[in-house]
Amino acid sequence: MNKLVKPEGAYPAIIGGERVFTAQSIEVIDPATGKAFATVARCGAQEVDLAVAAARRAFSTWRLTTAAERGRLLSRFAQVITQHADELAALESRDTGKPLRQAKVDVAFSVRYFEYYSNMVEAVFGSVIPAATDRFTFTTREAYGVTGHIIPWNYPLGIASRTLAPALAAGNCCVLKPAEQAPLSSVRLAELALEAGFPAGVLNVVPGLGAEAGADLSGHTGIDHVSFTGSVPVGRKIAEAAAGNLIPAALELGGKSPNIVLADADLDVVTPVVASAILQNAGQTCSAGARLLVHRDVHTELVSRLKDIFASTTIGAGNTDPDLGPVISALQHQRVSELVEIGRDEAELIHGGGRPAGAAYEEGYFFEPTLFDHVAPQAAIAQREIFGPVLTVTPFGDLEEAVAIANGTDYGLVAGVWTRNIGRANWMIRELHCGQVMVNTFSNGVELPFGGRKKSGYGVEKGYDALLAFTHVKGAVVMMSKD
Ligand code: NAP
Ligand code: MG
């Protein structure tokens, strides 16, 4: 047990700069043991009302701050997060089950989001438009006002920072609803924002259940924009709620992203990256490389190498820093198990397939690294987002076939392409129907715009585009006069 999180530890909501404890609370579960180790506030309509009102009040002065002032605060926030990096990583690892070193990377990403947008915020400006000569015609960029943010449990700190940093930099005041399964780092983030000097009400956090605080926030008439990351069915509800209030929504809904390995790829480079693209965070990554499409000339060799990596993967509680931690919950374990059972009838199971053997794995939500080969493109395990450490392998013969398979799901988030042929790489970049393509790598930074096609959602995260997306444009025209 880490020293930060006491068994009796109760985490509040953060509303208008105050720590708010609610009459009812939610137990926060350690996925490695299945046991509660903390509690968190369970907000409802009343707390969400208070948070939206606090954000609205804060906005009346926050909107008049300069970009330079907001940039300095974001920069100070990045420093405060850095000072608490070990604490945050331990908390995130305990709450989500992810290996400690991966939680440390998430903290570094969090810092980077605030640093990046602190640098960039002064580069947001309008333009002067050459229209009629008797008037001055120009645009400015303005914050929306109060923005709602609903995030999932897989990368709580990373996704909270991804969505909050550009929103705050652009001059919005935020209300964040973290997932009930992993809410603690969001609460700590809001406490640290106060420590960094953010005025009360600029960043509020209302932990609670999706059907309560989540629905209350996304349907609230006092918000001007809503950002959501999570599942397709809930994304649809968020879009409906936003439509009801005629506000914009940005939806990031996951994917079934392919890694596409051409015959000329360097397998020494490919193999570890393809493995970590699905084993990182136990496969619970919206942009996980969940499907391996591999040219038939190198198919047997690559599958054999992957099997070796999967077989040598260490499994354990996140804070013991294994290669692979548990999945988030009993429900997620069940979802993964059910799809893997379907997969056994559809394809060839090469490795894994269930809970690892041994007493150490009986209580937590552990699932073996699982590898299926000869998976038909239309198989359920090749079409549905499993959100577990399960990789499907599908061989292909030529590039057109590879692209057809890659594009042949309901999703379109990211794709990895592995080849040393620049022309083929560029052709694939053009033909792949997704928001981001990575060639000879499967990592992206905070700088590259990221967002889905099809059922992966709409809107943009990361990069300059995400900052602009948290503003709207105002046009102004002023008549000239000599008097
Ligand atoms: P989810 O239900 O979509 O949860 C995402 C967030 O939405 C959570 O904060 C959740 O709150 C909230 N929420 C739930 N119902 C809501 C409602 N009616 N109104 C407003 N907010 C609501 O995701 P999940 O059930 O945890 O995971 C299910 C599947 O979604 C996964 O198996 C995976 O396929 C996919 N997923 C994708 C991503 C991604 O990064 N794109 C992330 C997570 C999950 P509570 O958690 O407190 O209920
Ligand atoms: Mg948890």
Side-chain angles (χ1 to χ4, degrees):
M1 184 179 305
N2 68 61
K3 62 183 184 328
L4 300 162
V5 183
K6 304 171 198 73
E8 72 280 16
Y11 285 72
I14 307 292
I15 300 175
E18 303 289 330
R19 289 174 179 75
V20 175
F21 292 90
T22 51
Q24 286 184 296
S25 57
I26 299 170
E27 288 196 324
V28 181
I29 308 293
D30 178 343
T33 61
K35 297 197 169 56
F37 69 101
T39 64
V40 72
R42 177 173 168 180
C43 294
Q46 194 187 340
E47 290 79 18
V48 171
D49 276 349
L50 289 171
V52 171
R56 180 65 60 195
R57 273 197 305 281
F59 183 63
S60 65
T61 46
W62 187 244
R63 62 185 278 272
L64 301 176
T65 54
T66 64
E69 287 168 332
R70 293 195 302 278
R72 275 194 291 274
L73 257 184
L74 260 75
S75 169
R76 202 173 310 143
F77 193 19
Q79 287 166 10
V80 172
I81 297 168
T82 304
Q83 286 157 7
H84 291 80
D86 289 345
E87 174 209 329
L88 286 167
L91 187 64
E92 192 81 325
S93 171
R94 185 82 191 276
D95 203 356
T96 63
K98 69 178 64 193
L100 191 56
R101 62 184 180 279
Q102 293 180 20
K104 287 182 178 168
V105 172
D106 293 358
V107 176
F109 261 84
S110 167
V111 170
R112 182 73 186 120
Y113 280 115
F114 289 101
E115 179 188 67
Y116 180 72
Y117 288 107
S118 78
N119 290 331
M120 184 164 282
V121 59
E122 290 189 77
V124 176
F125 40 72
S127 47
V128 177
I129 297 163
T133 52
D134 64 344
R135 64 201 68 186
F136 194 53
T137 305
F138 64 99
T139 63
T140 56
R141 290 250 164 210
E142 295 183 342
Y144 274 102
V146 177
T147 51
H149 305 257
I150 298 173
I151 62 164
W153 40 258
N154 53 349
Y155 292 84
L157 194 57
I159 294 176
S161 306
R162 182 178 83 187
T163 182
L164 293 174
L168 292 167
N172 300 281
C173 291
C174 305
V175 181
L176 175 82
K177 208 297 279 180
E180 70 194 76
Q181 296 90 343
L184 302 185
S185 60
S186 295
V187 176
R188 281 300 287 142
L189 201 61
E191 290 177 338
L192 295 177
L194 293 170
E195 200 176 311
F198 277 89
V202 170
L203 171 53
N204 307 276
V205 173
V206 285
L209 305 180
E212 297 175 2
D216 291 332
L217 179 60
S218 56
H220 203 286
T221 53
I223 63 169
D224 304 300
H225 181 286
V226 62
S227 294
F228 171 79
T229 302
S231 65
V232 172
V234 177
R236 201 171 276 126
K237 287 186 188 174
I238 303 290
E240 284 165 4
N245 287 325
L246 290 171
I247 60 168
L251 307 177
E252 203 270 84
L253 307 179
K256 191 71 183 175
S257 298
N259 260 308
I260 308 166
V261 179
L262 276 54
D264 71 335
D266 180 349
L267 295 193
D268 290 344
V269 180
V270 170
T271 312
V273 181
V274 165
S276 71
I278 188 65
L279 299 183
Q280 179 183 320
N281 206 33
Q284 304 163 115
T285 305
C286 44
S287 57
R291 292 184 293 153
L292 171 61
L293 313 184
V294 52
H295 191 278
R296 56 177 169 244
D297 288 356
V298 288
H299 163 239
T300 307
E301 172 65 19
L302 184 52
V303 169
S304 144
R305 291 185 186 205
L306 285 169
K307 185 182 175 189
D308 290 345
I309 293 190
F310 278 35
S312 63
T313 297
T314 58
I315 307 174
N319 53 16
T320 65
D321 209 16
D323 300 326
L324 180 68
V327 298
I328 189 73
S329 63
L331 177 63
Q332 193 63 20
H333 195 274
Q334 186 192 331
R335 283 177 182 150
V336 175
S337 304
E338 283 170 9
L339 273 163
V340 165
E341 287 315 302
I342 293 172
R344 284 175 193 273
D345 297 329
E346 290 181 324
E348 188 184 334
L349 181 65
I350 300 292
H351 185 82
R355 186 182 288 276
Y361 304 119
E362 272 165 21
E363 295 197 316
Y365 313 126
F366 295 97
F367 206 96
E368 294 171 294
T370 297
L371 184 61
F372 281 108
D373 195 10
H374 296 289
V375 180
Q378 294 310 317
I381 54 169
Q383 289 289 324
R384 289 168 57 184
E385 190 181 36
I386 300 176
F387 237 57
V390 182
L391 181 65
T392 67
V393 183
T394 303
F396 66 84
D398 63 40
L399 257 56
E400 295 213 343
E401 185 187 0
V403 165
I405 298 170
N407 289 342
T409 74
D410 286 343
Y411 294 100
L413 192 54
V414 309
V417 174
W418 298 86
T419 178
R420 284 177 275 202
N421 182 313
I422 186 76
R424 287 179 184 161
N426 275 305
W427 183 81
M428 304 278 279
I429 290 169
R430 193 190 69 190
E431 294 300 315
L432 287 165
H433 197 27
C434 61
Q436 202 178 67
V437 182
M438 294 165 278
V439 178
N440 295 330
T441 178
F442 204 71
S443 67
N444 48 20
V446 308
E447 306 86 357
L448 192 63
F450 173 82
R453 306 280 194 274
K454 302 190 279 183
K455 288 206 171 66
S456 292
Y458 50 78
V460 61
E461 312 268 1
K462 301 186 172 186
Y464 184 59
D465 298 76
L467 184 54
L468 284 189
F470 278 109
T471 68
H472 43 193
V473 68
K474 178 181 275 178
V477 56
V478 183
M479 290 305 293
M480 294 178 185
S481 137
K482 280 189 291 189
D483 313 321

